[in-house]
Amino acid sequence: MPKLTVLPHAELCPEGAVIEDAPSGVSICRVLLDNHIEIEHACELSCACTTCHVVVREGFSSLESATDNEEDLLDKAWGLTSTSRLSCQAVIEDTDLTIEIPKYTINHAAENH
């Protein structure tokens, strides 16, 4: 099983995390949530928002290519990079990954409270 390394994030994972046995065939978002890293996921993992945006720092090429729908949504994400993915759509395969959760997210539901 591959390893998922999460770089430190001030609010969600201050010390960073290493998930040693991340299951293949499961989205990055689901693995984070299952390991008590409460990344935002306003659309409930349905590829309809950008709140679960992550930057894949290592292992990006092991991921399946993003769909056109995901690419369109990513264009709206805060802090977009060439290795950005929606974590609900990026499925872990057999390669170790290192990800960074951006400091900010665009969550209109949270911003309008």
Side-chain angles (χ1 to χ4, degrees):
M1 290 181 142
K3 175 174 65 173
L4 177 61
T5 301
V6 182
L7 298 177
H9 181 280
E11 294 174 17
L12 301 177
C13 191
E15 303 298 317
V18 177
I19 301 164
E20 291 290 344
D21 295 322
S24 297
V26 177
S27 73
I28 292 171
C29 190
R30 173 55 46 211
V31 172
L32 294 175
L33 295 170
D34 288 349
N35 285 274
H36 313 291
I37 299 171
E38 298 299 323
I39 189 169
E40 286 192 62
H41 54 289
C43 72
E44 297 299 320
L45 315 181
S46 67
C47 194
C49 72
T50 63
T51 59
C52 71
H53 167 228
V54 297
V55 177
V56 182
R57 295 293 181 198
E58 293 179 21
F60 181 80
S61 63
S62 72
L63 300 171
E64 290 286 327
S65 297
T67 63
D68 289 342
N69 186 40
E70 181 183 354
E71 291 284 356
D72 290 344
L73 286 167
L74 280 169
D75 286 341
K76 302 171 188 170
W78 184 91
L80 183 67
T81 75
S82 62
T83 59
S84 287
R85 290 296 304 267
L86 297 181
S87 66
C88 70
Q89 299 302 300
V91 175
I92 298 170
E93 296 300 331
D94 295 325
T95 303
D96 292 348
L97 297 173
T98 298
I99 65 158
E100 178 180 359
I101 301 170
K103 183 176 181 179
Y104 299 107
T105 184
I106 299 170
N107 184 347
H108 297 293
E111 291 170 1
N112 289 330
H113 285 167

